[in-house]
């Protein structure tokens, strides 16, 4: 399966710039856009709480729906997994109901809370609108809301669930929707694994947003403070703990009546770093014992509370490899929706002498860590980069270094080190 291209950010190459580069680009170099970023949609995030807007967008003929089955995305066909397949408003109506049923004001949702009905809720996530720049027209197939014109996008979990086999028959409706999409419209569903993910850049970004939000809602049906069931509002981007259930008072909860009465989707910051030797000729890479033979990558780990990104880089590298890092520079970031990480990419340089010594006795996470010459890493980027589980690319020589594909930020960090990103004066 071919590796998808990386996203191209239109606002960095806009014709309106007149062919000139910004002062920031001249000083710091071009921006790196990683896979799962670069969505073509404008999220219009302040409108998520506007149920009238959501109803209009949901019911418009041009609306498109990203369907997820067990978090795996629907694609155009089983033979072509490079583009998402989309359902229309009429396709999802039997499963979800009409716009007035799906989207209500927060006050209505909280006031009419019924824990038994909410237990089988299907959260509909508003992803955004693919905006058009053209002036308003008489076209009926273009969604318009105030000054915004374009095509609205939503995401829906269509997984058939055993708990949905009640009188409303939602399990059967979900199964019928999946059958219709596959058999009548020729779509297919991918697995939810990042392995083999080949969606083109913009579609991968939409999937990342959809997967993260649907997964977060599924993982958080109960209040972290009091343990009672919560309900989704703001089109899947907020959960609240209502004070009543079927108009009867519920047990007290400390989250009510204060600014804590909010639960928003979590994002877990993770540092990932390419560490250069003190003399600038080698890069530090490690391998997990579960990885294929000869397969190495950059080191990574979760950022902890009360530490800066730079401190997290130094701590993780020392804990995993024993190497002591001095200067750290941020390179780029990557959303990683498995389930909800933000990979914060950095490049650091080891201190000379004992600072470069590798010791794996602190943390047993790595099976091995090595310093690789930059020339060897450069060759591996050309002939040894592939996803976990995929065969080595053509031209690979058995026993040579293997690396992650360019859809992983680790690949981009290694490439930046090899290309001298960290040494080139940007002014």
């Amino acid at each position: 399966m071919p590796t998808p291209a990386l996203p191209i950010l239109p606002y960095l190459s806009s014709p309106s710039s007149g062919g000139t580069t910004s002062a920031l680009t001249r000083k710091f170099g071009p921006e790196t856009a990683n896979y799962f970023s670069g969505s073509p949609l404008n999220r219009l995030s302040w409108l998520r709480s506007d149920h009238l807007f959501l109803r209009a967008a949901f019911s418009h003929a041009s609306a498109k729906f990203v369907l997820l089955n067990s978090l795996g995305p629907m694609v155009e066909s089983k033979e072509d997994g490079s583009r998402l397949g989309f359902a229309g408003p009429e396709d999802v109506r039997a499963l979800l109901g009409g716009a007035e049923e799906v989207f209500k004001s927060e006050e209505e949702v909280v006031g009419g809370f019924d824990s038994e009905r909410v237990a089988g809720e299907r959260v509909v996530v508003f992803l955004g609108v693919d905006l058009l720049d053209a002036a308003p027209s008489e076209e009926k197939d273009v969604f318009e809301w105030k000054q915004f014109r374009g095509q609205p996008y939503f995401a829906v979990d269509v997984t058939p669930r055993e708990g949905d086999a009640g009188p409303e028959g939602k399990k059967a409706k979900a199964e019928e929707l999946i059958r219709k999409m596959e058999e009548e419209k020729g779509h297919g569903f991918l697995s939810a694994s990042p392995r083999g993910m080949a969606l083109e850049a913009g579609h991968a970004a939409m999937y990342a947003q959809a997967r993260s939000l649907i997964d977060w809602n599924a993982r958080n049906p109960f209040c972290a403070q009091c343990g009672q069931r919560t309900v989704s509002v703001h089109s899947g981007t907020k959960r609240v703990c209502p004070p009543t259930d079927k108009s009867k008072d519920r047990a007290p909860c400390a989250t009510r009546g204060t600014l804590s009465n909010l639960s928003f989707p979590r994002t877990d910051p993770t540092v990932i770093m390419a560490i250069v030797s003190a003399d600038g000729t080698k890069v530090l890479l490690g391998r997990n014992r579960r990885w294929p033979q000869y397969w190495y990558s950059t080191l990574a780990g979760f950022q902890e509370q009360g530490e800066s990104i730079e401190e997290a880089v130094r701590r993780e590298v020392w804990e995993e490899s024993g190497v002591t890092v001095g200067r750290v520079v941020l390179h780029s970031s990557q959303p990683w929706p498995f389930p909800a990480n933000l990979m914060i990419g950095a490049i650091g340089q080891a201190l000379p002498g004992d600072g470069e010594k590798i010791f794996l006795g602190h943390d047993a996470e790595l099976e091995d860590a090595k310093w690789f010459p930059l020339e060897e890493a450069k060759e591996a980027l050309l002939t040894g980069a592939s996803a976990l589980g995929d065969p080595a690319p053509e031209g690979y020589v058995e026993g040579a270094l293997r690396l992650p594909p360019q859809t992983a930020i680790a690949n981009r960090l290694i490439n930046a080190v090899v290309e001298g990103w960290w040494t080139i004066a940007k002014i």
Side-chain angles (χ1 to χ4, degrees), residues 38-44 127-131 151-153 206 209:
S39 173
L41 307 182
N42 188 316
R43 300 192 182 201
L44 301 178
L127 300 177
V129 176
D130 189 0
L131 294 177
Q151 193 166 34
Y153 284 75
M206 286 191 279
Q209 182 187 2

Side-chain angles (χ1 to χ4, degrees), residues 250-328:
R250 297 211 293 174
C253 179
T255 65
R256 302 189 197 117
T258 72
L259 289 178
S260 298
N261 185 28
L262 305 172
S263 177
F264 292 113
R266 64 181 287 171
T267 296
D268 300 320
T270 304
V271 292
I272 181 167
M273 43 276 174
I275 304 302
V276 185
S277 60
D279 64 3
T281 64
K282 298 180 288 293
V283 60
L284 177 67
L285 302 175
R287 62 171 278 107
N288 187 298
R289 59 179 51 85
R290 298 188 302 272
W291 292 349
Q293 196 173 17
Y294 314 121
W295 211 88
Y296 283 76
S297 185
T298 54
L299 276 56
F302 287 107
Q303 182 173 351
E304 296 191 349
Q305 298 73 26
E307 68 179 354
S308 68
I309 295 171
E310 292 83 355
E311 289 173 318
V313 167
R314 297 185 184 101
R315 175 184 56 77
E316 282 288 343
V317 171
W318 182 79
E319 288 179 356
E320 292 186 2
S321 71
V323 171
T324 305
V325 175
R327 182 75 165 94
V328 175

Side-chain angles (χ1 to χ4, degrees), residues 105-170:
S105 69
E106 183 174 343
E107 292 73 18
E108 288 180 284
V109 173
V110 173
F113 178 72
D114 180 338
S115 57
E116 293 182 2
R117 289 185 61 84
V118 167
E121 70 176 342
R122 294 219 174 238
V123 175
V124 179
V125 174
F126 170 62
L127 300 177
V129 176
D130 189 0
L131 294 177
L132 299 175
D133 295 329
S137 68
E138 298 300 321
E139 295 180 62
K140 294 183 179 180
D141 59 346
V142 175
F143 172 70
E144 296 189 31
W145 185 266
K146 298 181 179 179
Q147 72 269 37
F148 303 110
R149 301 178 67 253
Q151 193 166 34
Y153 284 75
F154 295 86
V156 182
D157 179 14
V158 299
T159 309
R161 301 187 295 236
E162 292 303 324
D164 287 351
E168 295 182 359
K170 287 191 175 182

Side-chain angles (χ1 to χ4, degrees), residues 5 10 29 45 100 102 151 160 213 224 257 261 278 293 308 338 400:
S45 60
E100 289 73 18
V102 177
Q151 193 166 34
L213 286 168
N261 185 28
Q293 196 173 17
S308 68
F338 305 98

Side-chain angles (χ1 to χ4, degrees), residues 219-231:
R219 289 173 183 261
N220 293 273
F222 300 104
C223 178
Q225 176 66 38
C226 69
Q228 298 176 95
R229 190 171 288 278
T230 58
V231 63

